[in-house]
Each structure stands twice: as C-alpha cells, then as structure tokens.
C-alpha cells in the first residue's frame, strides 16, 4: 500500500485508521508526503525552517503510531505542489520501485466542501499528479523509461471525496488515528481532548453511512475507489 499526500498531517486526517488497519493485517504500508509543511502556521514570526523541522518530527512520531513501514517527504514548498512532469516523475519512481497494489491519495475533483472550505491547492495538485502517475504513466513503459519497469496499480483509494463509495471499518484503529493526529501538535494545538472528539465524531458520521454498519457505534473512513485496468 502506498499513500501519497500533500502535507505532513494529511494522512492522519484522511486515512490513518485505514493505513493502521492494513498494517495490522500484514500489509507493507509506505507514505510519501510532497510538501514540507513550511507554511502550516498562522504565526508571522515563526521561522519556516524551524517549522519544517518540527513537522518532520511530528510526522515521524505519527508514522510510528500508524505502523508505517516507511515514510518520506519530497520537500516541495507548501502552496507549490503542482501536477508537473517533475512531480509525476518522482511519484512514478516510487510506484515502480515499491510496486504497490493499492495507492491512496486525495480526490482532486473535490473543490468546495459546503460553503466554508475550499480544498487546498496542494491537495488538488497532489491528487491529480497521483492519478496521472498511476495511469497511464507508471503502467506504461514508454513513459519515464529510465525510472524502472512499468507497474500497474490495480486500485486507487481517494479520500476527501464528495463521491464516497467505500467505507473502511476503522473500529479497531480509531484510537491510533486519534493518537497519530495528536502527534501533529503544531497543527492541532494543545486541546487533545477536542482532537479526540472531532476524530471520533467524523469517523462515526462516516460509519453511519456505511452499508456494513450494523451498530450505532460504527467508525469508518470514506473513500472513492477506482479499479484501474
Ligand atoms: Zn493538507
């Protein structure tokens, strides 16, 4: 399993319960983050270099909580994650060397969430780059011929979607999702009880939509799933 997201805390918000569950089930799970998180603060006095280092430490701690086998940051500046040839080459290189069965990223077609949130530019950029890297680039030997043998990704899970069709049961890993997100203290602040409440409430809301949910306390993460052929 290969997850690819824009910012250091994105996977914890989007799919940490799923990644932890797959890891528990014996899957090898890797994570690639594209941007270094250097603009993830409202404090005009903060040093972006210090913030980048702090966020790398937070990501390291969260990766351990989720049980990831490997994680890396490509080091792009926040706000500059574009679906470029360069980024697609970086992603194709990882896909062809790791050869994942499943790739997880964010749905780039989601722009507006209600009337209060415009999906971050970097989320849209990485989502389209991941889709283009999976199909056709990584699976077609004439694309990036110097980046290793072609590999076809069978399945793509897209989080942050307006068109969910698959709900992963995260009942067994919900508290690890909470703990992983709490590692990102620079982003979530010091009210760790609130972090737990929000994560549990959102997971319960997703769980209530799941067709498999037989109880009122089902917890899930929702995805739009593509089966690439
Ligand atoms: Zn983000």
């Amino acid at each position: 399993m290969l997850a690819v997201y824009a910012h250091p805390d994105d996977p914890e918000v989007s799919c940490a319960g799923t990644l932890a569950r797959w890891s528990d089930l014996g899957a090898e799970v890797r994570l690639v983050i594209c941007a270094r998180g250097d603009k993830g603060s409202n404090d005009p006095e903060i040093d972006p270099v210090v913030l980048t280092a702090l966020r790398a430490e937070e990501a390291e701690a969260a990766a351990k909580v989720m049980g990831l086998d490997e994680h890396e940051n490509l080091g792009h500046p926040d706000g500059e994650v574009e679906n470029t040839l360069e980024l697609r080459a970086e992603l194709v290189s990882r896909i062809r060397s790791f050869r994942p069965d499943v790739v997880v990223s964010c749905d780039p077609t989601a722009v507006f969430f209600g009337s209060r949130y415009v999906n971050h530019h970097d989320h849209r950029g990485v989502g389209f780059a991941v889709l283009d890297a999976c199909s056709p680039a990584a699976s077609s030997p004439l694309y990036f011929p110097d980046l290793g043998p072609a590999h076809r990704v069978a399945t793509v899970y897209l989080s942050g979607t307006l068109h969910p069709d698959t709900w992963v049961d995260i009942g067994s890993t919900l508290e690890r999702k909470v703990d992983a997100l709490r590692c990102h203290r620079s982003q979530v602040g010091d009210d760790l009880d609130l972090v737990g409440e929000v994560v549990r409430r959102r997971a319960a809301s997703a769980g209530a939509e799941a067709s498999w949910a037989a109880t009122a306390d089902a917890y899930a993460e929702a995805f739009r799933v593509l089966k690439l052929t």
Side-chain angles (χ1 to χ4, degrees):
M1 313 296 184
L2 174 65
V4 184
Y5 279 88
H7 308 120
D9 59 324
D10 290 350
E12 288 76 0
V13 172
S14 309
C15 63
T18 299
L19 298 186
R21 180 166 177 212
W22 287 344
S23 175
D24 288 350
L25 291 171
E28 186 174 350
V29 183
R30 298 192 191 186
L31 171 65
V32 171
I33 297 295
C34 298
R36 51 191 187 230
D38 58 307
K39 296 185 182 71
S41 175
N42 292 322
D43 178 0
E45 303 299 322
I46 199 162
D47 181 341
V49 175
V50 172
L51 181 58
T52 297
L54 174 60
R55 299 200 65 182
E57 287 176 16
E58 293 172 342
E60 175 74 28
K64 284 199 175 74
V65 173
M66 290 186 282
L68 303 186
D69 293 281
E70 270 187 36
H71 67 103
E72 67 172 318
N73 190 305
L74 300 179
H76 294 274
D78 278 15
E80 300 181 27
V81 177
E82 311 282 353
N83 179 15
T84 59
L85 190 64
E86 177 200 5
L87 180 56
R88 292 198 296 280
E90 290 180 293
L91 298 178
V92 166
S93 166
R94 271 77 182 169
I95 290 167
R96 286 185 179 168
S97 62
F98 179 41
R99 313 185 79 72
D101 297 311
V102 177
V103 165
V104 188
S105 191
C106 43
D107 185 343
T109 68
V111 179
F112 305 111
F113 291 91
S115 58
R116 291 172 177 266
Y117 180 65
V118 178
N119 200 8
H120 195 292
H121 163 273
D122 293 344
H123 300 169
R124 289 178 275 135
V126 73
F128 277 123
V130 166
L131 290 175
D132 291 345
C134 288
S135 179
S139 64
S140 179
L142 298 184
Y143 284 71
F144 304 107
D146 300 331
L147 295 181
H151 173 70
R152 188 177 68 81
V153 174
T155 308
V156 177
Y157 278 60
L158 298 174
S159 63
T161 181
L162 300 174
H163 305 284
D165 54 22
T166 301
W167 287 262
V168 175
D169 182 352
I170 62 164
S172 65
T173 55
L174 176 66
E175 292 309 312
R176 276 160 66 202
K177 179 181 171 89
V178 171
D179 290 343
L181 189 56
R182 283 173 172 164
C183 293
H184 293 275
R185 195 69 63 89
S186 70
Q187 304 302 297
V188 300
D190 294 327
D191 191 345
L192 300 184
D193 289 340
L194 180 62
V195 174
E197 280 173 32
V198 171
V199 170
R200 290 181 201 110
R201 188 169 66 235
R202 288 181 180 169
S205 173
E209 299 172 359
S211 60
W212 45 259
T215 64
D217 59 350
Y219 296 101
E221 286 170 337
F223 299 92
R224 178 183 194 172
V225 173
L226 310 176
K227 300 279 187 186
L228 303 179
T229 56

